[in-house]
Structure formats: C-alpha cells, structure tokens
Amino acid sequence: MTCQCGHAHNDDGAKQEALQKAMDKYKTVKGALIPILQEAQEIYGYLPKEVMQQISRGLSIPFSKTFGVVTFYAQFHLKPRGRNIIRICQGTACHVRGASKVFDGVSAKLGVGKNGTTQDLRYTLETVACLGACGLAPVMMVNDDTHGRLTPDKAAGTLEKYE
Amino acid sequence: MKNLMDKCCDKCTHTAFFPCKDYIKCRKEGPICHQDEACKQKRADFLGDIHLAADSDKRQVLICAGTGCNSSGSGRLVKKLQEELAANGLADKIKIKITGCHGFCEQGPLMIIEPLKTFYTRVDENDVAEIVAKDLIGGELVERLLYKDPNTVETAKTYETVPFYARQKRLVLHNCGHINPEELSDYVASDGYFGLTRALFEKTPDQVVEEVKTSGLRGRGGAGFPTGMKWGFVKQAQGDKKYVVCNADEGDPGAFMDRSVLEGDPHAVLEGMAICGYAVGADEGYLYVRAEYPLAIQRLKIAIAQAEEYGVLGDNIMNSGFSFHLKIKAGAGAFVCGEETALLTSIEGNRGMPRVRPPFPANSGLWGKPTCLNNVETFANVPQILRNGGAWYASMGTEKSKGTKIFALTGKVNNTGLVEVAMGMTMRDIIFAIGGGIPGGKKFKAVQIGGPSGGCLPDELLDLSVDYDSLTSAGAMMGSGGLVVMDETTCMVDIARYFLTFTQSESCGKCTPCREGTTRMLEILTRICNGEGKMEDIDTLDRITRVVKNTALCGLGQTCPNPIISTLRYFKDEYIAHIQEKRCPAGACTALLTYTINAEKCKGCGKCLRSCPAEAITGEKKQPHVIDAAKCIKCGSCITGCKFNAIERG
C-alpha cells in the first residue's frame, strides 16, 4: 500500500524519472498533452497537482489548460484511487438486464457510492457507459478482467479474489 | 522462410527499404520474379496451413479470444487444450489458432475445428479431454457440445448450418473469427492488401474515388454520408498536408461492432485507411480508439508494427512512391469525442468540444488541414470494394443503401451477438430468424436502434426494411447499429430517461440548447417515472425536443431528443399511464410499484420472510403473510422466490 502522507519518499524518484522519460518522448510531438497525462496517470495512479504543474511547465502551456483537459475527460482522476478498479457497465443491454441492481449490490457490499474508494484503498467503484461486451450483459470490469452474466450476489462474490 | 510474408530464397529482394511492387501477389501466387518449383511449394505449404483444405488430413482448432469469449474463459481453455495435446503427443500436429470475435457471444467460448468446421459452443475446460480423445483422435463428434436451436431443437454440426449464421451475409466480418488477427500472413492469405495493390498500381487516385462512389458505400458511423463524395471533397481541397482519421471512439451503449472488427481483423481497417490516403493525397493517418478497448489498441499496435516491418505501410509502399504512416491515439473517456470535430479537437490535445461547421473537416480538419474522417466499419468495407469492384458492392442492398451492415443484437433476445446482413432485411428477420426471438416466452415490445441518437420502434414496424432512409422516416436512425430488443417488462419512459441520463452527463456544455435542454428533459422524465408527472409535461417535452433538435451545435445535441420523440410517438399511452394512473404498465419503475401478498394463495411457508432484505414481511407460520409498504424497498426478491405465485406486483 502506498503512503498517503504527502512527503517525498524513495519511490518518488523512480516515478519522477519515468515521468521525465515520458515527457522527453513526446517533446516534439503535436497534441502531446493527453498522451503525457495518460502516462503520468499510469505512473502515479492519479494526477497530483504538482505533476500537472510540472507537465504544464514542460509543455509551456498554462496550468489552467491542463486542468481543463484533465477535468473534461472521465479517464483522468484528481484523487488517489483503490488498488482494484471496479467498473460496472451501464450500457443499454446491461440496463435492460438489470445492471442497476448489480451496482446497488456491489455498492452495498463495499459501502461506497459511485466513484467512491473504500477506506483501505482496496476498491474504487465506478460506472462505465458501455464495455462493448453486451452479449454477456450485465457486465463489469475489475481492472482488466471482464466478468459477465452477473447477478448482484455473483458480482459481490467475484470481488473477493481481488486483494 | 518462417512465415508467408518472408522471402522464399535469396532471389527475392523485397524489404521495407527496397520494396517490390509484386510483393503481395507474390506471397499468394508466387514466386513471380523467378521460376522455382521448390519456392512455389514452400508458399503453397504455408497457405495450406493457414486455411486447411476440405480434404486435408491435418486438424486445426480455432478458439475465439474476443472480449466476450475471453471473459467466459477462453484463455483457460487454450491453456488446457495445449496441455491435453502435449499429453497425447499431438502438440506439433494440431495447431491452435487464436482468433477474433465470431459474433455469437451468447454461446461462448466458441471452438471451431477445421477443416470440417465442426462448431462447439459453451466449451468448458472440463470438456477439453473429451474433445481431444473423441474428436481430434477418434474423429467422432462430441454431440452434447454442438449447437442446438432453441426453437426447433435441431443440432447443427458446422457453424455454417447454425441458423444464426446461415441467414447472415458476412462481408466485413468474413475474417473475424477465422484468421489470427496478430498475423499479417493470415490476412494476406485471405486476399488481404490486394485492394491496396490494385489501387496503387491499376488506378489513379481519381479512379479510386470513382470506384468508391460507384459502390454507393455510405458512412457506417451513423449519419450515412456517401463515402465517395467525402473522399472527393478532401481530394479537391487545397493543402500541402492532408490527414486520414479513423473514428474508433465507439461510445454508443449497446454497440460493439467496431471493437470486434479492430480485435478480429485490424489489417482490414489499416488497408482501408491506406487506400483512402492514396485517393485523397494524405501521407499520415490517426486511429482514435476508445481507452475502454485495451485489446483493440494492442491488436492495432501489433498490426501496424507488422505492416511496417514487411513494407505494406510506411515509406514508398511496394515501390509505388506512395507513403503512409499511421498513429494510434487513445481516447480519454468522453462520448462527445465520437463527433467528428470534437474528435479532431481531442487529437490536438484539447478538451474534446465540437466546432461550428462549416468549415467541414474535409477543408479544415486536424490542425486546420483537409482531413478525411471515416468510421471503422466504413474503412473495413473499402479493401473489398477495390478488390471486387464498386459495381459488385452496389449489387447488394437496397437502392439507396448499398452493401451490408453489422448490428449488435442485444437485450431481450435469444441469440445475442454481432449480426451482419445485407441492407434492406426486415427487422423481423433480424430479431426472430437470426436472433431466435424473445427468451422466456415473453412478448416483443420494441427495438431500440441507433443508441442515444436513435429511437424505439414498436411491433407494427417490425416489417420495416432496415436501411438508412426508412429508419430515418420512422423516427429512428441507423446510428452505429446497436439493436437492443425489449420485451413487455421494459418500460419505455424509463428507457427514454435512461438515454437522457446518458446524453445529459455526456453533453460537453458548449452550446446552451444541449446543456440546458438535456437537463430539463431529464428532470421531466425523472418526475414522470417517479409518479410526479403532470399532463402538461408531455407538451413541454414535445416543445423542448423540437428546440434542441433544431438548434444544438453538433450531432450529439441534435439527435439526443430522438429517444423521447420516438417513445412519445409510439408509446404515448405509457407516458399517460405513469402520469394519470400513477402506474408503470411494464412494472419497471420501482417508485410506482407496490407489492402485495394474495392471502388466498399464500401458504405461509416463510420463504419470502427470510429472503426480504428490508424485513418488511411479517406473518405467522402457515398463516398468510403481509408486506409493510412503508418498509418495502421494492427489490423483488420475494417474488422470485415464491413457489405459489402469491405475491403480486402492480
């Protein structure tokens, strides 16, 4: 579990290096802001203010623009997220096959609402418009694994194996 | 020579740096530059291994690794099959081929055994031993894994005889599920890159544009703009630099055809884009792919790397003088980026908000340069048009809608999956003949087509021909091709609210009609679903839908009222029932439901009492129970458990 105290630690050095590398890679590329933010989020798990400021300086663009882009897209996060990201599909096919009940079941089990993270940082609960696995509706994704044909109980049970 | 794309001997000089113009033809029919029976045989052997001939004594197992089958466990299946083959000493003799999506996700994981094309469904890792012993070694069918038609109870031995496939015309999907998407040689063996070769060496860019115009191909992303005409505009546009952009930001809930094409046949899209680049005079292209599709992005990366390595993409392609480079841009999660100008703004690194048109992207697109932007499915059609001719393509479909269209058939239907049919088939044939009808003996109510931009069509329109123009006149829209089937338990007001919830949260906020209109419409629909609606709400909704439709800036706003307009047009009685009688006819709007126990039928078994999560049910043993309406959370768990049908929902 990563420390949330906000002070510098040893692994910050490695993260800084990775970020610098990503910024060097996109130095001469047009439209680099979004790919850099994506890589930065890969490295840090979310986008801390200092990182966004650093990216703005590196690309010579106003911080307000970076912040504007980050808050526009659903994929970017300003707060730390859990180790396991649960994304419950809210697509049409899932909706008519009971996705909202699955969401309520998981939400009740974890005790967090939409976009909430459990105290122990084990899970973050999110929804997604459509995962494109409509044949298996209702569906959820935990990290990169897709789970289909869910019931509220089955969904809650599936989460056990993600530490 | 390790695979089909390699050189047969030192006489072959093709490399990505010194390309040969006969490269693709040579790999399939060659060698061309020299006569050598041994070289010819080597090529024939590789081709024979990719697609086994019907009388071949070899066997090959195709396992679907699309997203659907993967989550049903096809990964574990592959591993188990490898172990089982090794244990029987067959590891070198029988090849396992990982393929893209077969489209029949409902029955996954799917397995096809070539050359007989035996089709096994819902294969579990525990079935592997039996398949190896009985089929691969013994040559007998494993009857219990064959597909059984739920209506006629007949079994189908090969995939071609399964009713789900028999009625389809798989043109764009013809490779999906039959080739390994991570092997360029598989694609070339299925005539891949022959369309690009023909364009580069037999046609001028103008002739390519003409060929696409002749085909009658229209944009598959939704609006149905004629593709050849768009290419003509970009070709005529003045500019030293032009771009080709593929819109793979498939965001419509309920649509996954683009994902399957990208995962199952990525080279078809690359080839289509390269042909477009040649026709319009662009040397650079972008694929804008949704971030929610990691597998598609990975397969595209592999495909681009292989195409560049072997010189079918890159500089001076096959010594034609034409260069074309492709880059992938991963989206960051914004539905509005499926709109063309918003997508371009997003590639440029900004908030993905639409621009005012004109100027259209054909004149001023990416970084202000002329840009040709098409959808995944549109590009995937192009190689076949070049290979077989525009007239051949135009022979399929209806007068104004040519070719085929892929639909994602989902919801309350027996056979969910991807369906590709010739334009003009009736909705009834798609849902009942291919989709196998509604499960559980329920009654068909409506089909939603075109996602948040489309509409709901009732059963009296089931015989409507499915093409761009008849759908638009019925108040729906082709959209990207999501078909969500709804039965009598689906509430149409709730569906309209569902889509508005989606468009309201995805509205980018740039223009007032969309930003405010979606919010107001959603408020009204929520009110009606909660039983707090008034009759004048229907008139207000009607007025707002017209204002938003006529004044919003981009396609998202202009089409977002469609779910309301079509449900008001065909299912107005449901709106009225919610408002006047405070009743949801489908029994879906929880706020309007009440659960009661019929005292005559209740035996007092206590099952509902135990299953109720809210402790709302009370009663003595063997005495009729009662539900406390104040405590009831309307979850329905009592009704599903009751053996005596004593619980009534109304």
Side-chain angles (χ1 to χ4, degrees), chain A residues 65 68 73 75 90 131 136 146, chain B residues 71 259 332 350-351 411 498:
Chain A
K65 185 185 168 178
Y73 295 99
Q75 201 196 26
Q90 304 287 305
L131 289 169
L136 305 168
T146 314
Chain B
S71 69
R259 154 183 225 152
N350 304 311
R351 288 165 73 95
Y498 163 78

Side-chain angles (χ1 to χ4, degrees), chain A residues 8-73:
Chain A
H9 286 282
N10 284 339
D11 68 325
D12 281 0
K15 287 179 177 174
Q16 262 302 316
E17 203 174 307
L19 178 64
Q20 202 51 53
K21 224 167 152 184
M23 289 182 45
D24 290 344
K25 188 166 80 182
Y26 289 104
K27 214 165 216 165
T28 54
V29 179
K30 278 201 279 185
L33 178 57
I34 293 173
I36 291 183
L37 289 169
Q38 284 168 332
E39 293 213 10
Q41 186 162 281
E42 276 289 302
I43 297 164
Y44 287 88
Y46 72 109
L47 292 169
K49 187 177 170 192
E50 297 72 33
V51 169
M52 289 192 285
Q53 284 171 333
Q54 192 183 345
I55 292 172
S56 305
R57 275 197 301 274
L59 293 175
S60 304
I61 53 172
F63 176 69
S64 59
K65 185 185 168 178
T66 307
F67 187 74
V69 167
V70 168
T71 49
F72 184 81
Y73 295 99

Side-chain angles (χ1 to χ4, degrees), chain B residues 377-438:
Chain B
E377 197 185 333
T378 316
F379 279 126
N381 269 295
V382 170
Q384 304 203 39
I385 293 173
L386 265 288
R387 206 151 68 216
N388 303 318
W392 162 83
Y393 192 85
S395 69
M396 290 170 288
T398 66
E399 197 196 334
K400 285 186 178 160
S401 304
K402 301 295 185 192
T404 60
K405 175 78 189 94
I406 311 176
F407 294 101
L409 188 59
T410 58
K412 306 282 182 68
V413 63
N414 273 314
N415 301 332
T416 55
L418 277 192
V419 172
E420 183 175 359
V421 296
M423 293 269 192
M425 193 181 235
T426 64
M427 205 62 100
R428 187 183 300 279
D429 278 347
I430 296 176
I431 296 169
F432 290 90
I434 296 174
I438 319 294

Side-chain angles (χ1 to χ4, degrees), chain B residues 568-581:
Chain B
L568 266 181
R569 180 163 159 191
Y570 300 114
F571 301 96
K572 199 169 190 171
D573 52 332
E574 289 199 23
Y575 281 84
I576 296 174
H578 279 79
I579 296 171
Q580 288 188 330
E581 301 164 36

Side-chain angles (χ1 to χ4, degrees), chain A residues 26 29-35 38 65 67-76 87 90-93 95-97 101 128-136 139 141 144-149, chain B residues 67-68 71-72 105-106 122 243 253-254 256 259 290-293 329-334 336-337 346-353 367 410-413 416 484 494-495 498-499 502 508 635:
Chain A
Y26 289 104
V29 179
K30 278 201 279 185
L33 178 57
I34 293 173
Q38 284 168 332
K65 185 185 168 178
F67 187 74
V69 167
V70 168
T71 49
F72 184 81
Y73 295 99
Q75 201 196 26
F76 296 125
R87 292 193 287 175
Q90 304 287 305
T92 326
H95 178 76
V96 300
R97 286 200 189 180
K101 289 209 173 100
V128 56
C130 183
L131 289 169
C134 314
L136 305 168
V139 191
M141 233 172 141
D144 281 338
D145 307 333
T146 314
H147 301 277
R149 301 193 187 103
Chain B
T67 297
S71 69
S72 308
C105 313
E106 177 77 29
R122 293 209 173 158
Y243 293 99
F256 55 104
R259 154 183 225 152
R290 263 185 105 190
E292 285 87 346
Y293 288 181
K329 283 270 175 184
V336 71
C337 290
S346 176
I347 294 181
E348 292 168 3
N350 304 311
R351 288 165 73 95
M353 289 184 171
W367 288 297
T410 58
K412 306 282 182 68
V413 63
T416 55
V484 185
D494 176 59
I495 284 296
Y498 163 78
F499 280 116
F502 178 79
C508 77
C635 66

